[in-house]
């Protein structure tokens, strides 16, 4: 209940700041919250459901592929030292690169459809998962593995009881951190080669100078980000209850 109260208080404060900024600016480019919320019924006529669906589809598959690629690599870098000796330097060198600059290259190779957008988001988020999983597995004390071996644990049991819990913690942490970056990248990629997606909708309304609908789209995008972040937090609290004991 306290969490809900704090969230509602934060939303109220943000709306008050928004209203104050709109009053001070006094121009159509920054409408008041009430003006924007009054435009919400129009979203249905503009197929907001389809825009939302395509954005979630692209975002969901991007995060799935990031996890499928990033989790094994992060684990192997630590648990297979010879493999890690080759891969870890590559990750170290390529992680800081501004991968969004590769969007034209990705679109030339993968086309203008969903594939290019999913690849682009995956390229950005996968490194955060690799590094988070790698660091989480490295933090498992060697003594834990030694004790499990003394108790007769095989490789699968070592993975299940030591490596996987640490990996899962790294994945959930990485996903929470990467979510904002992933949504920002999604918005950027949806400006090109598509007629659906929240990014396309927002920029289309901007081009039409329909500012209330543009801001309504931004509010929807923010609500999606908040909901996904809340889901990840709930999953983390449930799955990693052992860390809270």
């Amino acid at each position: 209940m306290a969490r809900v109260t704090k969230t509602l208080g934060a939303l109220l404060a943000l709306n008050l700041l928004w209203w104050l900024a709109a009053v001070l600016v006094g121009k159509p480019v920054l409408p008041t919250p009430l003006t924007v919320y009054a435009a919400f019924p129009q979203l249905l006529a503009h197929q907001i459901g389809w825009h939302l669906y395509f954005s979630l589809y692209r975002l969901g598959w991007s995060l799935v592929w990031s996890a499928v690629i990033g989790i094994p690599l992060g684990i192997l870098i630590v648990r297979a030292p010879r493999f890690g000796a080759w891969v870890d330097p590559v990750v170290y060198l390529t992680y800081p690169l501004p991968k969004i600059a590769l969007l034209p290259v990705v679109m030339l190779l993968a086309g203008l459809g969903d594939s290019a957008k999913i690849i682009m988001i995956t390229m950005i988020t996968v490194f955060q998962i690799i590094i988070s999983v790698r660091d989480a597995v490295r933090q498992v004390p060697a003594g834990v593995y030694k004790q499990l071996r003394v108790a007769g644990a095989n490789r699968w049991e070592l993975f299940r009881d030591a490596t996987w819990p640490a990996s899962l913690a790294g994945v959930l942490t990485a996903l929470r951190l990467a979510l904002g970056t992933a949504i920002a990248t999604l918005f950027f990629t949806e400006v090109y080669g598509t007629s659906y997606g929240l990014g396309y909708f927002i920029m289309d309304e901007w081009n039409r100078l329909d500012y209330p609908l543009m801001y309504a789209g931004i509010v929807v995008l923010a609500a999606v980000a908040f909901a996904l972040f809340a889901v990840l937090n709930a999953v983390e609290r449930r799955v990693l209850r052992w860390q809270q004991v």
Side-chain angles (χ1 to χ4, degrees), residues 122-185:
T122 301
M123 285 174 57
I124 293 175
T125 55
V126 69
F127 285 93
Q128 293 173 306
I129 292 180
I130 292 172
I131 291 172
S132 295
V133 171
R134 180 201 65 186
D135 293 346
V137 175
R138 277 179 178 169
Q139 290 175 8
V140 178
V144 172
Y145 291 105
K146 189 176 297 184
Q147 290 174 2
L148 289 172
R149 289 192 184 97
V150 170
N154 55 35
R155 288 187 177 182
W156 161 248
E157 290 169 332
L158 291 175
F159 173 80
R160 182 193 65 191
D161 297 332
T163 305
W164 176 244
S167 304
L168 190 57
V171 170
L172 292 173
T173 299
L175 287 176
R176 285 195 297 110
L177 294 175
L179 186 58
T181 305
I183 291 176
T185 307

Side-chain angles (χ1 to χ4, degrees), residues 16-97:
L16 286 174
L17 289 174
W18 178 4
W19 175 82
L20 180 61
V23 171
L24 291 175
V25 172
K27 295 181 179 179
V29 295
L30 185 57
T32 64
L34 291 177
T35 303
V36 172
Y37 296 144
F40 264 60
Q42 300 178 42
L43 291 175
L44 295 176
H46 287 75
Q47 298 182 307
I48 193 64
W50 282 110
H51 292 293
L52 182 59
Y53 166 78
F54 278 101
S55 289
L56 290 175
Y57 172 84
R58 293 158 185 156
L59 187 64
W61 275 111
S62 300
L63 295 178
V64 166
W65 280 113
S66 294
V68 169
I69 298 169
I71 294 173
L73 285 178
I75 293 174
L76 288 173
I77 286 173
V78 180
R79 300 300 297 156
R82 291 184 179 178
F83 176 83
W86 288 95
V87 176
D88 206 21
V90 175
V91 173
Y92 179 80
L93 289 173
T94 54
Y95 177 61
L97 296 178

Side-chain angles (χ1 to χ4, degrees), residues 179-199:
L179 186 58
T181 305
I183 291 176
T185 307
L186 173 72
F187 176 86
F188 188 81
T189 58
E190 286 184 336
V191 175
Y192 304 98
T194 184
S195 297
Y196 287 101
L198 293 176

Side-chain angles (χ1 to χ4, degrees), residues 97-124 184-193:
L97 296 178
K99 299 165 197 65
I100 194 66
L102 298 176
L103 180 60
V105 178
V106 172
M107 286 186 168
L108 285 172
L109 295 175
L112 299 177
D114 290 338
S115 297
K117 297 168 178 57
I118 292 171
I119 291 171
M120 195 71 248
I121 300 171
T122 301
M123 285 174 57
I124 293 175
T185 307
L186 173 72
F187 176 86
F188 188 81
T189 58
E190 286 184 336
V191 175
Y192 304 98

